[in-house]
Amino acid sequence: MSQTETRGSAVAQTTDTEQPPVDAPAGVPLDNRSGRFGDRLFSGISLAAGIVILVVLAGVAAFLIRDAIPAVVASPEELDRDTSFWGYVGPLVAGSVVASLIAILVATPVGVGIALFISHYAPKRLAQPLGYVIDLLAAIPSVVYGAWGALVFGAALVPGYAWLSEHLSFIPIFGPTHSTTGRTLLTAALVLAVMVLPIITSLCRELFLQTPKLHEEAALALGATRWEMIKAAVFPFARAGIVSAVMLGLGRALGETMAVALVLSPGPLTASLISTGNSTIPAEIALGFSEAFGIRRSELIAAGLVLFVITLVVNVLARLVVARYKDFSGAN
Amino acid sequence: MSAVATLQKSSLTAGRLPRWTPWAVGAGALAVSAGIMSLIGFNLPGWIVIAWLLFVPSMFVAARTVEGHQAGVDRFWTVLVCSAFVLALLPLVSVIVTLLVNGLPGLLDPGFLASTMQYATSQTDQAAAAGEGPVYGGILHALVGSVLVTLAATVISVPIGLFTSIYLVEYSQDGWLSRAITFFVDVMTGIPSIVAGLFGAALLFSLVDPQDSLMGFTAAVALSVLMIPVVVRSTVEMLRVVPNELREASYALGVRKWRTIVQVVIPTAISGIASGVTLAIARVIGETAPILVTAGVAVRLNTNLFNDWMMTLPVFIFRQLQNPTSPTAVGPSIERAWGAALVLVLLVMALNLAARLIARAFAPKQTGR
């Protein structure tokens, strides 16, 4: 008896304050104050959450800039090296860009090929499981790729590097000597290629599957072979999407840290891709940050800011490309 | 022989290559390649590469002479597209085999999941490498740290992400604010993880005493920066596909907007939201770089997010490889790293699988009344 009483009063209380009972009849008066309060509270929380995101992003930029300024304006003596900050960060930017570009050059044709295989070549029944298999590549954490690249893949590439340095060493990128551990910029770039492959593949696959069936059938009806149909119907439809998928992959490769940090044994910038040396911004930060204090810490944060700006530019460009081509793709 | 000849003479199949052509050309290419390799010294990758280099042009020439130029080009690209797929399977298979072969011994060490690195020293590792003792040390501290940090990041990100999505879909009338939020969420998706880590470090560095700023909570803040955009993007997609008829039916019954959202819109979309959140968790639990610069490294169990350094699985793997416990006997460290990697990959796969199951379990019933 007393139990029911307490329960009843509890329900009455909630009705009085903010939460009407869940199963309230539809005839609750429309100007019920509790409802209005709930509405206002809910929209207020939602708005606040949206604003928090903007504040966080502004915070990211503000904190990084604040901590980076001392290193950017410091003289070489203060930094304890022979160059200014820009002389320090330049080779790192070059390393990052070169590694990412090689990764993209390798991953783009392969990724587009896989996407085509899944969307237009594989038997229909196999297409979806094969898509899952490629998505598995994306689920593997980057540190595992790093371990694999450093201990397995790099070692497997050493004979190839030996051959390159023996026969092609007149080309500067296959420099005079080669690394005996395989922990080189080219290995890092190839590991990055494996990592961005699923991004390019899954985005392209979605696009290729959306190609209007009528375009494809029209091409086939005119006597086109499968490849001619793909050239005439699928690629024009997906062009902007492929470009933006590649840009997103590039952004990912530029920011990827662990794979490079584990694979590369970092050193000063060299032209040779197959000998020890070179480094990238994320790897430099990851390897150095825990022992960095004072001006060195600020220097690494400034390097992070440079990386942030580069990836931002790449991502915004990807978006602009999509917006620019949306009107021509015939998607709508 | 005569059967093949009659088949080729049939007017329907005339000028077409028989179905077994690719297999025959492939076998021929492998044989020729084996011959070349026997002259210059055999090795497996070289054999396959040369065979492939022979296979592609000979397929093209065969198809071109029998079937014509168009079909030759078509065959050529078919071969390239299929090769791309096989090429992508190589690293996947290699990673999985490596993980299983190298990871299982570590995982099966007694106490691998139940002990920390507190009592594993350079001496015990040297003894283990010399075969005089077991491999001490385990990943308990890293496992607990990973779970706690990821949980904290989820607790921070999911409410913010969920309410932001509700604002974007239900409240904003596509005004400047919602366009700004959408744009910056896209920007956040592209933030490199190490930069998110630097942000977390810089934020807590200035909020609390710099000496104490390296802790689990700092890492959780950094991970949230990576997690929020993923949650927002998937949730917005899911809320957008809730049919407007449901909302209007609810309004027509006099139900307030917030209760419509809580009781009609979200339950309809909950399967997609939950699986999106699970995928976001799966993504951040494998992140290394942001934790490396925010939570430091630890060898003992720490269950307090707000005090002292904390280990997570990815950082454990990185440290064991980069700074082995015993620099002269790295075997046990590498074994532990692969064991931890196997556990991490299993964890991520389980989360991905869970996301699919959640999507199915919570999916709204198709049969209505």
Side-chain angles (χ1 to χ4, degrees):
Chain A
M1 184 62 206
S2 66
Q3 259 186 352
T4 31
E5 264 177 22
T6 8
R7 207 189 299 153
S9 67
V11 168
Q13 260 176 11
T14 41
T15 326
D16 280 345
T17 52
E18 56 199 78
Q19 279 202 324
V22 169
D23 52 354
V28 171
L30 285 178
D31 59 357
N32 159 344
R33 280 169 61 211
S34 64
R36 197 184 300 153
F37 177 71
D39 250 356
R40 221 175 273 161
L41 184 74
F42 209 72
S43 73
I45 294 177
S46 303
L47 181 63
I51 290 172
V52 162
I53 290 189
L54 296 184
V55 170
V56 165
L57 203 73
V60 173
F63 275 106
L64 291 183
I65 291 173
R66 188 201 64 184
D67 285 13
I69 284 177
V72 178
V73 298
S75 64
E77 295 82 53
E78 286 171 290
L79 289 173
D80 204 15
R81 61 177 82 245
D82 359 320
T83 61
S84 71
F85 169 74
W86 298 108
Y88 159 73
V89 86
L92 295 176
V93 172
S96 288
V97 171
V98 168
S100 309
L101 284 183
I102 296 174
I104 282 298
L105 283 180
V106 175
T108 303
V110 179
V112 172
I114 300 168
L116 267 185
F117 179 79
I118 294 174
S119 65
H120 285 85
Y121 282 84
K124 276 276 174 294
R125 250 180 325 124
L126 275 179
Q128 194 153 27
L130 290 180
Y132 287 152
V133 168
I134 297 300
D135 287 345
L136 269 188
L137 272 173
I140 296 174
S142 59
V143 68
V144 177
Y145 277 117
W148 173 77
L151 299 177
V152 180
F153 189 54
L157 286 177
V158 171
Y161 291 160
W163 188 86
L164 283 176
S165 73
E166 201 177 312
H167 296 93
L168 295 176
S169 59
F170 56 89
I171 308 174
I173 58 170
F174 300 127
T177 57
H178 69 92
S179 156
T180 48
T181 54
R183 302 175 68 162
T184 67
L185 195 69
L186 189 57
T187 313
L190 292 178
V191 173
L192 287 180
V194 174
M195 297 181 69
V196 298
L197 197 61
I199 298 178
I200 297 181
T201 302
S202 62
L203 290 173
C204 288
R205 185 185 67 207
E206 293 305 313
L207 275 166
F208 293 163
L209 286 173
Q210 283 171 9
T211 313
K213 267 278 166 293
L214 280 177
H215 294 193
E216 296 180 2
E217 284 164 4
L220 291 173
L222 288 171
T225 59
R226 179 153 52 180
W227 172 249
E228 286 165 342
M229 177 271 282
I230 287 167
K231 258 199 319 187
V234 179
F235 281 161
F237 174 80
R239 196 190 308 128
I242 296 175
V243 172
S244 84
V246 169
M247 297 285 248
L248 289 177
L250 183 62
R252 172 85 195 273
L254 279 168
E256 179 48 49
T257 314
M258 292 336 280
V260 181
L262 273 169
V263 169
L264 210 57
S265 39
L269 186 71
T270 61
S272 170
L273 297 178
I274 60 166
S275 61
T276 310
N278 294 324
S279 190
T280 69
I281 295 178
E284 177 85 3
I285 300 172
L287 294 174
F289 197 76
S290 53
E291 283 120 44
F293 299 98
I295 193 82
R296 171 77 180 139
R297 188 189 154 92
S298 147
E299 194 175 51
L300 288 176
I301 289 181
L305 193 63
V306 171
L307 176 70
F308 180 44
V309 172
I310 295 174
T311 50
L312 194 67
V313 168
V314 170
N315 282 312
V316 170
L317 278 182
R319 257 158 237 306
L320 287 183
V321 169
V322 177
R324 169 92 176 71
Y325 277 98
K326 204 156 58 183
D327 309 332
F328 306 108
S329 74
N332 301 311
Chain B
M1 180 60 215
S2 65
V4 173
T6 43
L7 259 182
Q8 284 190 340
K9 274 185 194 130
S10 147
S11 64
L12 282 176
T13 54
R16 315 288 311 163
L17 285 169
R19 292 192 134 209
W20 43 262
T21 311
W23 304 105
V25 175
L30 283 173
V32 174
S33 166
I36 296 175
M37 290 316 283
S38 69
L39 293 180
I40 59 171
F42 186 84
N43 66 66
L44 185 67
W47 182 45
I48 307 268
V49 168
I50 292 184
W52 187 80
L53 289 177
L54 291 170
F55 178 71
V56 175
S58 32
M59 256 331 269
F60 174 63
V61 171
R64 213 197 131 142
T65 40
V66 179
E67 301 180 335
H69 180 73
Q70 268 188 309
V73 173
D74 187 46
R75 289 261 186 186
F76 174 73
W77 285 103
T78 307
V79 170
L80 284 194
V81 164
C82 296
S83 310
F85 184 74
V86 175
L87 186 64
L89 287 185
L90 291 181
L92 182 65
V93 171
S94 170
V95 168
I96 290 175
V97 168
T98 311
L99 264 179
L100 288 177
V101 169
N102 296 338
L104 277 179
L107 192 60
L108 297 178
D109 276 337
F112 184 67
L113 291 173
S115 63
T116 68
M117 290 300 290
Q118 201 169 354
Y119 303 109
T121 61
S122 149
Q123 280 84 11
T124 63
D125 266 15
Q126 274 161 11
E132 291 157 7
V135 176
Y136 284 99
I139 57 166
L140 179 68
H141 58 312
L143 205 55
V144 170
S146 262
V147 170
L148 286 177
V149 169
T150 311
L151 212 60
T154 312
V155 168
I156 300 172
S157 324
V158 169
I160 295 181
L162 192 61
F163 277 108
T164 304
S165 319
I166 290 173
Y167 174 75
L168 288 178
V169 178
E170 305 290 335
Y171 283 103
S172 75
Q173 268 94 35
D174 211 21
W176 66 271
L177 185 60
S178 83
R179 264 179 286 137
I181 294 174
T182 315
F183 176 77
F184 281 110
V185 163
D186 283 344
V187 168
M188 272 173 97
T189 329
I191 291 187
S193 58
I194 186 94
V195 174
L198 288 180
F199 162 68
L203 176 71
L204 270 286
F205 197 76
S206 46
L207 286 188
V208 301
D209 182 13
Q211 299 298 320
D212 304 329
S213 69
L214 285 180
M215 58 185 176
F217 182 70
T218 318
V221 170
L223 288 185
S224 311
V225 175
L226 296 171
M227 202 169 164
I228 289 173
V230 183
V231 173
V232 171
R233 289 183 82 163
S234 67
T235 310
V236 164
E237 290 300 313
M238 289 305 137
L239 293 181
R240 285 244 160 89
V241 297
V242 172
N244 259 335
E245 286 85 346
L246 289 182
R247 294 190 184 93
E248 283 155 11
S250 175
Y251 297 150
L253 291 172
V255 180
R256 289 231 168 238
K257 186 162 188 166
W258 74 276
R259 288 192 57 203
T260 305
I261 295 171
V262 171
Q263 297 197 326
V264 176
V265 178
I266 290 183
T268 314
I270 191 72
S271 72
I273 295 174
S275 82
V277 168
T278 318
L279 287 177
I281 295 174
R283 185 190 154 189
V284 298
I285 206 168
E287 284 290 353
T288 319
I291 300 177
L292 197 62
V293 298
T294 50
V297 289
V299 294
R300 66 186 72 196
L301 188 61
N302 173 18
T303 52
N304 188 348
L305 278 170
F306 295 95
N307 186 23
D308 217 351
W309 294 14
M310 213 167 192
M311 201 59 156
T312 64
L313 272 179
V315 178
F316 178 86
I317 300 168
F318 178 71
R319 284 296 286 192
Q320 287 293 315
L321 291 174
Q322 203 74 18
N323 306 60
T325 313
S326 159
T328 53
V330 295
S333 280
I334 290 182
E335 187 181 312
R336 281 190 292 260
W338 281 117
L342 184 57
V343 172
L344 181 62
V345 169
L346 289 177
L347 209 59
V348 174
M349 297 290 163
L351 283 168
N352 277 288
L353 191 67
R356 286 191 199 288
L357 293 181
I358 288 170
R360 199 171 303 165
F362 286 103
K365 305 271 180 299
Q366 286 302 312
T367 53
R369 267 180 296 165

